């Protein structure tokens, strides 16, 4: 039976940190120009909530602003993120392409499940040509509940997946795995937290470790 791996994107495959601060600073500069923000850019707060869907991000970053302002900020932030991706400001984590090639050659099916928006995910997939290895990329936008567990369940139903592994860096990834009867591998990368990694079945420091772990957990 084909083994399936469902990867998170931000903080797992893509080094979001390289464009996050740039894009967030651009967005809050825009808010300042519009006299809608006067304080420092809340980059540390955003790091704390990385991994949640963007509507929840803006509700947290702009708690005293209207929904209209939050939507405008989200739109501009997305625009700046995509621009930074397309101009090569971001990067994949080391060995993503090498590991994907290995997995594909060994008959593993690869999927991406992300809380990122579709347009943003497409920009990453297109720029780095990930669809050479990835069967399909799924955005949380496809799920009304904005719950990652439901997104993983959606992938499993579509591709008739009965066993597999979710690879991610945050609690939402590990719980999405557990709630769907899958194994969870935690990546101790930029946004990971030790208390959340404790809920993963295994923790890795480098994606290259997947080459041996996949068969062990089969």
């Amino acid at each position: 039976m084909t083994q399936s791996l469902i990867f998170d994107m931000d903080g797992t495959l893509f080094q979001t940190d390289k464009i996050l601060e740039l894009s967030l600073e651009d967005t809050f500069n825009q808010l300042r120009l519009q006299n809608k923000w006067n304080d420092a850019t809340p980059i540390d707060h955003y790091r704390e909530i990385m991994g949640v869907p963007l509507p929840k991000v803006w509700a947290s970053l702009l708690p005293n602003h209207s929904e209209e302002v939050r939507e405008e900020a989200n739109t501009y932030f997305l625009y700046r993120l995509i621009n930074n991706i397309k101009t090569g400001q971001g990067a994949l984590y080391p060995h993503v392409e090498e590991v994907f090639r290995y997995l594909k050659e060994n008959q593993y099916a690869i999927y991406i499940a992300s809380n990122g928006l579709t347009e943003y995910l497409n920009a990453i997939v297109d720029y780095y040509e990930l669809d050479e290895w990835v069967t399909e990329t799924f955005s949380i936008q496809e799920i009304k509940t904005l719950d990652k567990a439901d997104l993983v369940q959606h992938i499993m139903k579509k591709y008739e997946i009965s066993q597999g592994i979710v690879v991610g860096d945050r609690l939402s990834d590990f719980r999405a795995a557990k709630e769907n009867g899958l194994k969870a591998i935690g990546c101790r990368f930029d946004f990971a937290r030790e208390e959340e990694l404790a809920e993963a079945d295994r923790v890795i420091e480098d994606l290259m470790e997947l080459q041996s772990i996949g068969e062990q957990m089969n």
Side-chain angles (χ1 to χ4, degrees), residues 3 68 167:
Q3 176 71 287
E68 181 182 3
V167 183

Side-chain angles (χ1 to χ4, degrees), residues 10 13 36 61 67 79 87 100 106 109 123 144 152 167 171:
D10 293 317
L13 298 176
K36 296 175 180 175
L61 294 183
E67 191 61 34
Y79 162 74
T87 55
F100 274 10
N106 286 274
K144 290 182 179 179
V152 168
V167 183
L171 189 61

Side-chain angles (χ1 to χ4, degrees), residues 2 5 15 17 47 88 90 130 133 140 162 197 209:
T2 300
L5 287 96
Q15 296 187 57
D17 205 34
R47 287 174 182 273
L130 295 180
W133 304 288
I140 200 69
S162 59
L197 290 171
E209 295 176 56

